[in-house]
Amino acid sequence: MFGSFRDMAAVMAIMSYMKNVDQDDPQVKLICRIVYGVYLVIVAVYHFYITRQIEKANDQRKIKIPIQKNPFSPPPEGAPTEEEKTVKDYDTDLLIQQRKSVLTNTAILAFLHFKMGSTSPLIVSTAMGLLKLTDEPLTQLHIFKRPAEGKLERPFKPEPNPLLKMFGMDGGADATPAAPATEGSLADSSTTRAVGEELAGADDEDEEEEVVEEIVEESEDEATEVAAPTASTVAADAKSVADSVAQDVSAKIKSVADQVPAAKADTEKTVSEMKSDAKETVAEAKSAAQDGLDSAKTAAQENLDSAKSTAQDTLDAAKTTASGAAASAKSTVQGLVDGANGVAEEAVASAKAAAGAVSESSA
């Protein structure tokens, strides 16, 4: 009971504080996400440690577990109401249920935070989760090493709902404590004494039966008068809470629905802009590639023309040099030939002169 009121007080304190915080501030959202992320890391380490402790203990004692009834599918007649498990399997199943509960809670919080824009549930869930971890029977048994007695005796009994217990509707409670003496109980005691006096003053059994019937009718009327306002008040409060929650959820859903067309239009606009940018980029790339190709062709053609011109100039120079060399060689040869002819003619003339001199000397 103390834990339930402690949790309610913690929730009210956190909600009161979060009202004074700008929950639309990006920095506040980041801090809340980090806090919840740290909580998930703590839960993961907790589950890992408890699993190791369960495996280490390896308790194979058998215990009988009541089978939970499905209200939508009642079991057939004669079906077993209990099942037998080892302590190790029982603790492991409880840990798996806790893990599934954390995952489900995380999925719901993700929807509320990212789709609905709610930030305070992250902090509330973190505080409630940490408080609940300290109260878990597995924490008390495997971390604090407390004996499995009383509330920690397996199978564990569910915690009573404080609201249902307040209205006397908690069926999970083991025992209902005696009500304190109030004005109503004192009135009932005086009524009981008056009834005893009336029964004592009755003359026969018929009168006693009549007195009893009158008392029963009066008690039923009084019970109806007392219970009707309480039931109507509870129903009105429940209806008010349900209407408030329904209006809040409806407003959130309407807000999200209103945002869907705008988000769709923004997405289509973004896709269109991306397509246009992609087309422009492709066109620019093609143009740049074409310019590069044209420049390469022009440079290659210029280099080819320059090479041709250089080769032609070299060929012409070679031809000119060869022609000059040939003419020079021809001139040199002609000079040598002319010189040889002159020498030969002079030799012939000298020979002829010598021969004429010899002929004259002989005559």
Side-chain angles (χ1 to χ4, degrees), residues 185-245:
S185 60
L186 295 177
D188 291 340
S189 299
S190 61
T191 302
T192 304
R193 287 195 296 269
V195 169
E197 293 176 356
E198 290 181 3
L199 291 176
D203 296 334
D204 54 10
E205 294 181 356
D206 294 337
E207 290 182 0
E208 291 180 357
E209 292 179 359
E210 290 178 0
V211 171
V212 171
E213 290 178 359
E214 290 178 359
I215 293 171
V216 170
E217 290 178 358
E218 291 177 358
S219 300
E220 291 178 352
D221 294 339
E222 291 178 358
T224 303
E225 291 176 357
V226 172
T230 304
S232 61
T233 303
V234 173
D237 293 341
K239 186 175 183 301
S240 176
V241 173
D243 292 341
S244 177
V245 173

Side-chain angles (χ1 to χ4, degrees), residues 79-311:
T81 58
E82 294 179 341
E83 60 179 343
E84 197 174 56
K85 286 185 179 181
T86 62
V87 172
K88 176 183 177 181
D89 293 339
Y90 178 70
D91 290 354
T92 303
D93 291 343
L94 284 182
L95 200 62
I96 293 174
Q97 292 177 7
Q98 293 178 13
R99 191 177 301 125
K100 290 180 179 179
S101 177
V102 171
L103 293 176
T104 303
N105 188 37
T106 301
I108 295 174
L109 287 176
F111 174 78
L112 292 176
H113 179 63
F114 292 105
K115 293 297 183 182
M116 299 295 187
S118 299
T119 304
S120 56
L122 295 177
I123 304 299
V124 173
S125 181
T126 299
M128 293 290 293
L130 293 176
L131 292 174
K132 188 177 180 181
L133 279 182
T134 59
D135 295 336
E136 286 291 342
L138 294 179
T139 304
Q140 301 292 327
L141 291 172
H142 294 287
I143 296 180
F144 298 129
K145 304 300 181 182
R146 293 183 178 175
E149 300 174 353
K151 292 183 179 181
L152 299 181
E153 184 179 0
R154 300 178 181 87
F156 307 127
K157 297 176 182 179
E159 287 289 334
N161 190 313
L163 295 179
L164 295 180
K165 193 170 184 179
M166 186 182 300
F167 294 107
M169 300 167 58
D170 187 12
D174 296 333
T176 303
T182 59
E183 295 180 359
S185 60
L186 295 177
D188 291 340
S189 299
S190 61
T191 302
T192 304
R193 287 195 296 269
V195 169
E197 293 176 356
E198 290 181 3
L199 291 176
D203 296 334
D204 54 10
E205 294 181 356
D206 294 337
E207 290 182 0
E208 291 180 357
E209 292 179 359
E210 290 178 0
V211 171
V212 171
E213 290 178 359
E214 290 178 359
I215 293 171
V216 170
E217 290 178 358
E218 291 177 358
S219 300
E220 291 178 352
D221 294 339
E222 291 178 358
T224 303
E225 291 176 357
V226 172
T230 304
S232 61
T233 303
V234 173
D237 293 341
K239 186 175 183 301
S240 176
V241 173
D243 292 341
S244 177
V245 173
Q247 290 177 1
D248 189 15
V249 173
S250 177
K252 293 289 186 182
I253 293 175
K254 184 178 180 182
S255 176
V256 173
D258 293 339
Q259 294 175 2
V260 168
K264 184 178 180 181
D266 293 340
T267 303
E268 292 177 353
K269 183 179 179 181
T270 303
V271 171
S272 177
E273 292 177 354
M274 291 176 63
K275 287 183 178 179
S276 178
D277 294 341
K279 288 181 180 179
E280 292 178 358
T281 303
V282 171
E284 291 176 357
K286 285 184 178 180
S287 177
Q290 188 63 37
D291 294 340
L293 181 60
D294 294 340
S295 299
K297 285 183 178 179
T298 302
Q301 187 64 38
E302 290 177 355
N303 292 333
L304 181 60
D305 294 341
S306 177
K308 285 183 178 180
S309 177
T310 302

